[in-house]
Amino acid sequence: MKSDAVKKGMQQAPHRSLFNALGLTEEEMKKPLIGIVNSYNEIVPGHMNLDKIAEAVKLGVALAGGVPREFPAIAVCDGIAMGHVGMKYSLVTRDLIADSTECMAIAHQFDALVCIPNCDKNVPGLLMAAARLNIPTIFVSGGPMMAGHVKGEKRSLSSMFEAVGSYAAGTMTEEDVYEFECKTCPTCGSCSGMYTANSMNCLTEALGMGLPGNGTIPAVYSERLKLAKHAGMKIMELLEKNIRPRDIMTEKAFRNALTVDMALGCSTNSMLHLPAIAHEAGVELNVDIANEISSRTPNLCHLAPAGPTYMEDLNEAGGVYAVMNELDKKGLLYTDLITATGKTVKENISGCVNRNPQVIRPIDNPYSETGGIAVLRGNLAPDSGVVKRSAVVPEMMVHEGPARVFDCEEDAIEAIKGGKIVAGDVVVIRYEGPKGGPGMREMLNPTSAIAGMGLGSSVALITDGRFSGASRGASIGHVSPEAAVGGPIALVEEGDIIKINIPENRLDLDVSDEELAARKAKWQPREPKVTTGYLARYQKMVTSGNRGAILEL
């Protein structure tokens, strides 16, 4: 056992004395040492139940003959961090989580890990750590929030942000907003739509790193505690069989995850996180693969914010495995891959029927023949931009209009809520990329303001930052190269015509090459916004959005 390095032999007597201080018995010291990486805290709604999940996991580990030892991982609530300087500190935690987990796992020589995440950055951060460490690891999330109910309709966090936009437009009263405020987030769990947290928890299943139901069983269901116990038991089987993350997270597994991503209509943030996880697993996952997979993968789900269904509905319809079973009917998945269940993909999804064709469209009756995410290129985004195609209304799939240029999110929000943005405009928010932000803020406030003011079917938004999974509309993010390094988005001027053609994967500025070259010659880099602390270090090391915003030495 790996943990023998801290438990066995005369040289390890001092180590054993410290285990004695923890109250471990001699019998326990002979058993595998299992790290329980718990993202529990008291500020993130998706994490307030993780103490219960961790207790269930530890019971499962102990029942199967292991010795569980819990340690923490940090997590930021993107909803609380949204729209202010705090959002600069969201994406950057992904690497802190991976690094700190690596430190704890190696310093204490754990034999295996059970990771308990539940929100936007700690799911990918822990997957990155698992790939990097490559010791047997399994995931069990805290589960999604139940949808809220307002005026007889199901609602979620995106509805709340859009309600604020509706209030600014004068179409909703303060009392209406207060009702949304009190009812849209009724339980603990990751917010109830197919936002980033739920996207990544579902893709953890698709990758093969979690048990069935990891992404969809609601946080408040007792079934979630059973799942946690089974994860605790299963890690002992993975350890015995020496099934490790890189055995599971192969190139084909990432292709499966992208295929499921397209079918589910996941958050565009998956196009940051999957390449970063793959990088840690030694797999090259460039964004071009996304369009290749999207071109042959039907979009089967329109979960909020793209449609009126929620994670609880997906769970009742059969969950991620039912979606995968639909995809397998057309041979779209690699099914001979080993997973954290100890079985192959084929064995996992066999018999997982679609119980509600209104939630999971059958493979022969999809929402669209192409996937939920598109990667765009053109002279405005030579290295790429990303859009959640499944959440774009038909009339905005092809659009051109004048650029309305803002150098930060706050200025754009002020203009939108001040009525200065009109139908046909293309809002450009730049210097918000990984380096320029720094930290690549999400833009849920401006997209929600646009939707709330009734402009969702007539105004596009383009940024070198990124979007929340709760964003909808013609919202194109991750534009690379970003403005901070002199990408073409830095050269856009007020009134320039921008052309968007999502079916053809194009994003172009209607300005001649000669004019762009002249503007580039005059462009000067900006002074860093942050010069001290973690963000300053991050800014120096981070790569562009099209590479997953990974860090390089």
Side-chain angles (χ1 to χ4, degrees):
M1 290 186 293
K2 189 179 182 70
S3 61
D4 286 347
V6 293
K7 295 187 306 187
K8 205 169 186 180
M10 182 55 65
Q11 291 298 318
Q12 280 65 45
H15 306 70
R16 289 194 296 274
S17 72
L18 293 167
F19 283 121
N20 283 327
L22 292 172
L24 291 191
T25 64
E26 289 186 15
E27 291 83 358
E28 286 176 301
M29 288 192 217
K30 294 174 183 176
K31 296 179 179 181
L33 192 62
I34 311 300
I36 312 300
V37 194
N38 187 2
S39 301
Y40 171 76
N41 63 50
E42 294 183 336
I43 189 64
V44 181
H47 291 216
M48 63 182 285
N49 66 323
L50 297 192
D51 55 342
K52 307 295 189 298
I53 299 294
E55 289 303 316
V57 167
K58 288 189 283 188
L59 181 57
V61 169
L63 284 170
V67 177
R69 294 287 97 179
E70 183 179 343
F71 64 89
I74 65 167
V76 163
C77 176
D78 277 26
I80 295 174
M82 194 71 67
H84 57 89
V85 67
M87 181 46 73
K88 295 178 184 288
Y89 286 86
S90 172
L91 178 61
V92 304
T93 63
R94 188 184 69 179
D95 297 277
L96 281 174
I97 291 160
D99 292 349
S100 61
T101 303
E102 174 193 357
C103 292
M104 289 293 289
I106 294 178
H108 301 99
Q109 292 291 286
F110 287 109
D111 294 300
L113 297 176
V114 181
C115 294
I116 309 173
N118 209 36
C119 284
D120 292 20
K121 308 310 168 302
N122 67 318
V123 182
L126 289 175
L127 283 166
M128 289 165 66
R132 188 186 301 176
L133 289 162
N134 203 32
I135 60 175
T137 303
I138 195 168
F139 278 65
V140 55
S141 78
M145 183 184 290
M146 301 293 285
H149 290 80
V150 183
K151 301 185 188 305
E153 294 184 18
K154 285 187 176 182
R155 298 291 188 176
S156 61
L157 185 64
S158 55
S159 308
M160 183 68 252
F161 276 87
E162 290 178 15
V164 175
S166 297
Y167 175 76
T171 58
M172 190 175 282
T173 67
E174 188 172 345
E175 289 74 21
D176 289 332
V177 174
Y178 182 69
E179 184 177 3
F180 271 81
E181 184 180 330
C182 293
K183 295 180 178 179
T184 53
C185 297
T187 70
C188 64
S190 48
C191 295
S192 56
M194 187 54 79
Y195 309 148
T196 306
N198 291 324
S199 295
M200 294 309 301
N201 281 328
C202 289
L203 295 182
T204 298
E205 275 189 69
L207 271 172
M209 289 296 292
L211 298 179
N214 178 74
T216 60
I217 298 172
V220 295
Y221 281 16
S222 298
E223 192 67 25
R224 175 65 55 180
L225 296 177
K226 295 180 184 179
L227 181 72
K229 291 175 187 175
H230 283 134
M233 297 177 200
K234 185 62 68 172
I235 193 60
M236 300 308 296
E237 178 187 331
L238 297 178
L239 177 59
E240 181 183 358
K241 294 179 177 178
N242 195 29
I243 298 174
R244 295 178 293 171
R246 292 195 185 192
D247 300 324
I248 296 170
M249 291 193 283
T250 62
E251 181 180 353
K252 288 180 178 179
F254 281 103
R255 284 179 170 267
N256 278 354
L258 276 171
T259 301
V260 175
D261 188 338
M262 297 301 169
L264 285 173
C266 290
S267 163
T268 52
N269 281 312
S270 65
M271 299 307 299
L272 282 175
H273 300 322
L274 287 176
I277 299 161
H279 175 75
E280 296 290 354
V283 173
E284 179 65 31
L285 192 68
N286 64 61
V287 291
D288 292 316
I289 296 172
N291 280 345
E292 171 205 324
I293 291 175
S294 180
S295 67
R296 55 183 170 81
T297 305
N299 177 228
L300 305 181
C301 300
H302 268 190
L303 295 147
T309 55
Y310 295 81
M311 295 305 297
E312 62 205 62
D313 302 312
L314 178 59
N315 186 63
E316 295 303 317
V320 174
Y321 279 11
V323 174
M324 294 176 74
N325 203 26
E326 288 289 344
L327 293 170
D328 190 44
K329 291 176 183 177
K330 287 197 173 180
L332 295 174
L333 297 174
Y334 297 97
T335 58
D336 59 344
L337 310 180
I338 194 66
T339 70
T341 66
K343 300 176 182 178
T344 64
V345 171
K346 188 69 174 180
E347 291 173 309
N348 288 341
I349 67 176
S350 179
C352 294
V353 299
N354 179 359
R355 296 193 290 265
N356 189 339
Q358 303 304 312
V359 176
I360 305 171
R361 287 279 187 94
I363 194 73
D364 56 0
N365 182 34
Y367 283 101
S368 67
E369 294 294 339
T370 52
I373 290 177
V375 174
L376 313 183
R377 275 197 170 84
N379 69 348
L380 185 51
D383 289 342
S384 72
V386 179
V387 64
K388 188 171 183 175
R389 174 167 42 196
S390 60
V392 179
V393 294
E395 54 266 40
M396 289 298 289
M397 296 294 280
V398 177
H399 177 78
E400 67 176 74
R404 304 299 308 279
V405 183
F406 305 93
D407 287 350
C408 67
E409 177 188 5
E410 289 82 357
D411 289 351
I413 292 171
E414 183 180 349
I416 295 165
K417 291 186 175 179
K420 296 178 181 178
I421 303 302
V422 299
D425 284 349
V426 178
V427 176
V428 176
I429 304 177
R430 61 191 181 189
Y431 294 99
E432 291 284 9
K435 285 185 180 292
M440 203 177 187
R441 287 196 285 182
E442 287 185 344
M443 303 290 165
L444 179 57
N445 271 358
T447 58
S448 298
I450 287 170
M453 296 190 75
L455 297 171
S457 60
S458 60
V459 169
L461 196 155
I462 296 171
T463 182
D464 53 6
R466 60 195 179 92
F467 294 107
S468 165
S471 292
R472 61 187 176 97
S475 304
I476 301 166
H478 310 188
V479 170
S480 303
E482 63 174 293
V485 298
I489 193 170
L491 311 178
V492 181
E493 295 182 357
E494 187 79 8
D496 286 345
I497 298 300
I498 293 176
K499 297 181 176 181
I500 300 165
N501 192 320
I502 295 172
E504 294 184 6
N505 302 315
R506 296 293 305 179
L507 179 61
D508 290 291
L509 186 63
D510 192 15
V511 173
S512 69
D513 293 344
E514 293 77 14
E515 173 62 19
L516 283 177
R519 294 181 188 180
K520 176 72 172 179
K522 296 176 184 177
W523 179 82
Q524 293 291 326
R526 299 193 172 197
E527 289 295 319
K529 295 177 184 176
V530 179
T531 57
T532 60
Y534 179 60
L535 280 184
R537 295 197 301 276
Y538 182 89
Q539 181 177 254
K540 292 177 181 177
M541 300 170 68
V542 70
T543 63
S544 62
N546 70 300
R547 295 183 59 196
I550 61 172
L551 300 188
E552 286 187 336
L553 298 178

